[in-house]
Amino acid sequence: MPAKVVDYIHNHPGSANLWYVRDIPEKLRDLLPPTKNGNQPTKWKISLRTAIRRDAPMARKLAAEHDAFIAGARAPDHMSNLTEAEREAIDSAGGVQKYLDWINRQASRAVQLADEADSWRDFADETSPSEAPDPDLLAINTAVMDAERLQIDRQLARDVSLVKALGNTPKKLHDAGLLVVKV
C-alpha cells in the first residue's frame, strides 16, 4: 500500500495567501520556545506568501524540516550515548543548555582575545615610534592574549564532538542564539 501524502497547505481565514499549518506532536511541544503569550505552541502556522499552490514550494521544505525535527526529538535520548566524563561535564555545567551557553561564551572570549591582540599590533604599527607602546610590553601582552586564545580554541576543539553528540547542527545552534559556537 503506498504511503499517504500529507498536504500541509491550507487557506487561512482573513488572508489571501496560502498557509503551511501542521500540528506539533504533544510530546514535542515543550521542546519549542513558548509563543508570544507564553503558552507552548500547538501548531506550526507559516504564511507561504502566495495564493497560488504551485508557487508554494516552501511548504515542502518546511515539511521536511519539521519531519527531521520530529524524528530527531523522538530518537533515543542523546545523553545515553555519552561517556561518563561527557555526562559529568554537562552535569557540572548545570545541564545541556548551560553547557552550550558556556561553550558559546568561551568561543566569544576567543574571538575577543584575537581582536584585542590584533588591535594592539595595529596600534603599534600605525603610531609613531615615540607614541608606540614599549615593544617588550606589546610582545608580552599580545603573547598572553594569543596563548589564552589558543588554549580556548584547543578546549573548544575537544568539545566539538560532544556538541555534535548532543544532536546539534550549525542551524540548531544559530537558532538557539549560540552564534559563535562552531561544529
Side-chain angles (χ1 to χ4, degrees), residues 36-83:
K36 292 177 186 174
N37 61 7
N39 297 330
Q40 291 302 322
T42 58
K43 292 183 184 287
W44 283 296
K45 298 177 194 173
I46 303 166
S47 172
L48 298 175
R49 297 185 182 146
T50 182
I52 303 169
R53 186 173 283 273
R54 72 174 175 267
D55 292 339
M58 186 170 117
R60 263 193 228 123
K61 180 182 174 199
L62 289 168
E65 287 177 11
H66 293 146
D67 286 343
F69 170 77
I70 292 168
R74 287 181 174 163
D77 184 13
H78 295 295
M79 293 291 280
S80 63
N81 299 328
L82 303 180
T83 66

Side-chain angles (χ1 to χ4, degrees), residues 12-32:
H12 193 279
S15 174
N17 289 335
L18 294 169
W19 285 69
Y20 171 90
V21 180
R22 182 174 182 179
D23 288 333
I24 300 169
E26 190 170 338
K27 292 181 179 178
L28 306 180
R29 293 175 184 170
D30 62 333
L31 298 176
L32 296 170

